[in-house]
Amino acid sequence: MKIGVTIWDMETGKNLLHIPSCASPPFGLLCLRNRFLVASQINKHGSVGGGAGAIVVWSLNKPQQPLLNYTAEVVGPLSCTKDGVYLVGGALSGNAYLWDVTSGKLLKTWSAHNKSLKNMIFSDDDSLLISGSDDGMICVWSMISLLDVEETGSSPSLLHCLSGHISSITGLLTTPCSYFSVLISSSLDGTCKVWDFITGRLLQTQAYPFAITSITLHQEERLLFCGTENGTIIINKLDIGLEEGPSIITVGQPLELKGHNGAITALISSQTGLTSASEDCTICIWDVTKWAIIRRFNLQKGNATNLLVVPRSSVLFASNHRRVTDQYFVSPLDKYPQLINSSRGTTTLRSLCRLYKEKQASIDLRSTCLLRQNMFSSQRWTIQTESRHAYGHDHTNESGNKYRESIMGNKDGKACHGDKQTVAVTTTGVDTTQVV
């Protein structure tokens, strides 16, 4: 298997699509609303260090030239809000970058950590950004704080700094709980920690005999899957009570899945089952009821660094001729922030409206430029169209750069009715042990 992104049908094992010349570090691949693949790029030597970086965007539903975006420095981990409006990237320097994908504007750049960023995620309601670094530190940022700034280079206020791990962060997960807003973190120090990330309180520590390299969660069964450096996958029940203080659990003889001969590099749970990738250049799909491998993919050459699951219709949409009802724009990303006037202004954060019971909330952002940007975005979001085909239109953004709009799926980027998430997306071809 050559370097690139490869898409398989998880039910049949058929190779549906291969995108060459893409080498992405761990957590450097994501899908915007099941329409666009977005990947940060590492160099040919398997390192994310040195020189300017790049973020590449591919349309899943229509063959067209990828959108290549150069960044001020090399970006590793990526994350996006569920509506696909905001994209965040983390760099080796510890700097973080926040873009509005629909306009391409670099809204914010700030020094988030003292060490390289390893993982970045948004909370379930997209109100908080959570970042983890190479030194084991976890930071929680308010999106309102990140957007409510007078200058893009100013430092946002930090909501919490969670300092419990003593080695590099390898995974971050958020999940709703009856009592807490739960964050689960994993580290090479051999522990998984459970936090209330609203208060910053440590709820539980799970100690394992091996370094934890990847984690994922089975939401229905409340099972935590932990990939380890020796290739086993440890399964543990996520049991969070109302203890007054943090609890420490030493995992003795947990249930283990054994099917890999190298360190686990990525895990993802979906309705098809648990999918795991390893340094042994294999990907396994597990039946979580029988704890057995139901399908194995051999990459032959190169490790899988990322796993995604997307609906089959996202890849095969052009031949399915399904009806769509909205437009979604992806614009070229700015390399540097644009100068912003300091005059006061008010804007409506449409993508964060769910935080205010689905009502639009006006927030003083002291930025007439950001006001115009959001007004322009709002106008484009209200455009409606109906089509039985996936198609694209050429547009020109405010900076005069041409880009192509691609339309498919529904407004929330979810699968159409009856569609199954049966396509696995992997980025392969580099030795993850070389990725800084």
Side-chain angles (χ1 to χ4, degrees):
M1 185 63 60
K2 298 179 179 179
I3 293 176
V5 180
T6 304
I7 304 178
W8 287 282
D9 189 313
M10 296 174 69
E11 291 183 348
T12 66
K14 181 180 178 181
N15 188 324
L16 301 178
L17 178 67
H18 179 74
I19 302 174
S21 303
C22 172
S24 183
F27 307 107
L29 178 70
L30 57 81
C31 189
L32 291 173
R33 290 177 55 167
N34 292 327
R35 308 183 189 192
F36 298 93
L37 285 181
V38 182
S40 56
Q41 298 296 289
I42 64 177
N43 62 39
K44 63 182 179 180
H45 301 295
S47 171
V48 292
I55 297 175
V56 188
V57 181
W58 295 271
S59 172
L60 274 175
N61 61 77
K62 187 177 181 63
Q64 60 189 45
Q65 289 296 319
L67 179 62
L68 178 61
N69 306 277
Y70 290 104
T71 53
E73 57 182 319
V74 177
V75 170
L78 298 173
S79 187
C80 66
T81 51
K82 292 178 179 59
D83 55 16
V85 173
Y86 297 110
L87 173 72
V88 65
L92 277 177
S93 63
N95 292 334
Y97 298 82
L98 178 65
W99 289 273
D100 182 329
V101 174
T102 59
S103 68
K105 295 295 180 61
L106 179 56
L107 303 178
K108 182 72 178 175
T109 174
W110 75 102
S111 179
H113 288 264
N114 294 325
K115 298 292 184 179
S116 61
L117 281 154
K118 292 297 185 181
N119 201 339
M120 307 183 81
I121 63 169
F122 287 94
S123 59
D124 290 336
D125 62 2
D126 290 336
S127 65
L128 301 174
L129 172 66
I130 306 169
S131 57
S133 69
D134 192 46
D135 59 5
M137 299 297 293
I138 300 172
C139 293
V140 182
W141 313 86
S142 167
M143 278 295 289
I144 298 300
S145 173
L146 292 176
L147 295 172
D148 186 10
V149 292
E150 187 168 344
E151 296 179 359
T152 58
S154 61
S155 297
S157 59
L158 180 62
L159 186 61
H160 294 297
C161 184
L162 311 179
S163 56
H165 291 289
I166 59 175
S167 189
S168 181
I169 301 298
T170 57
L172 295 172
L173 299 171
T174 59
T175 180
C177 178
S178 300
Y179 310 107
F180 310 105
S181 298
V182 172
L183 167 69
I184 306 170
S185 60
S186 64
S187 171
L188 293 179
D189 62 13
T191 66
C192 288
K193 294 182 181 292
V194 183
W195 314 79
D196 180 346
F197 62 86
I198 299 299
T199 64
R201 185 163 70 96
L202 176 63
L203 303 176
Q204 186 181 101
T205 297
Q206 299 179 2
Y208 298 91
F210 306 104
I212 304 301
T213 55
S214 183
I215 55 173
T216 193
L217 191 66
H218 190 296
Q219 293 282 0
E220 294 181 1
E221 301 296 332
R222 308 293 293 177
L223 297 177
L224 179 63
F225 300 98
C226 302
T228 66
E229 61 180 351
N230 70 344
T232 61
I233 302 171
I234 300 175
I235 305 172
N236 196 21
K237 185 76 173 181
L238 187 63
D239 187 12
I240 306 171
L242 290 173
E243 298 89 351
E244 294 183 358
S247 61
I248 300 177
I249 300 175
T250 301
V251 181
Q253 297 295 328
L255 177 62
E256 295 184 353
L257 301 181
K258 297 182 178 180
H260 292 287
N261 296 320
I264 303 299
T265 56
L267 290 172
I268 191 169
S269 180
S270 67
Q271 64 184 28
T272 303
L274 173 69
T275 306
S276 59
S278 170
E279 288 183 355
D280 64 7
C281 302
T282 65
I283 297 173
C284 294
I285 301 177
W286 304 78
D287 185 332
V288 295
T289 60
K290 301 178 180 178
W291 307 119
I293 297 175
I294 57 179
R295 186 170 299 280
R296 184 188 296 269
F297 300 93
N298 293 305
L299 306 181
Q300 299 177 358
K301 182 180 179 181
N303 301 330
T305 56
N306 293 282
L307 292 173
L308 290 177
V309 174
V310 296
R312 184 189 292 114
S313 62
S314 295
V315 181
L316 305 180
F317 183 84
S319 60
N320 284 349
H321 306 294
R322 294 187 179 180
R323 184 181 296 271
V324 296
T325 59
D326 94 298
Q327 296 183 357
Y328 176 58
F329 295 84
V330 174
S331 300
L333 304 179
D334 287 345
K335 184 174 181 179
Y336 301 106
Q338 297 185 8
L339 295 178
I340 296 179
N341 296 329
S342 60
S343 56
R344 296 174 62 89
T346 302
T347 187
T348 300
L349 303 182
R350 297 176 61 86
S351 68
L352 299 180
C353 64
R354 66 173 67 90
L355 305 179
Y356 307 97
K357 300 179 180 180
E358 302 302 320
K359 296 180 180 180
Q360 295 181 358
S362 295
I363 299 174
D364 181 11
L365 294 188
R366 299 173 178 266
S367 169
T368 56
C369 178
L370 196 55
L371 169 63
R372 291 194 298 270
Q373 167 199 325
N374 280 272
M375 291 176 60
F376 183 63
S377 299
S378 300
Q379 293 172 355
R380 292 191 292 185
W381 273 102
T382 58
I383 298 175
Q384 297 292 319
T385 181
E386 289 191 359
S387 172
R388 295 182 181 272
H389 302 272
Y391 60 93
H393 291 310
D394 290 321
H395 294 271
T396 302
N397 69 0
E398 296 172 71
S399 301
N401 297 320
K402 290 186 177 181
Y403 62 95
R404 189 168 181 80
E405 165 212 347
S406 185
I407 305 172
M408 66 164 293
N410 57 32
K411 182 177 180 180
D412 296 324
K414 297 179 180 179
C416 299
H417 180 69
D419 191 18
K420 296 182 179 180
Q421 292 187 329
T422 53
V423 181
V425 183
T426 67
T427 302
T428 65
V430 296
D431 184 354
T432 55
T433 59
Q434 297 177 1
V435 177
V436 180

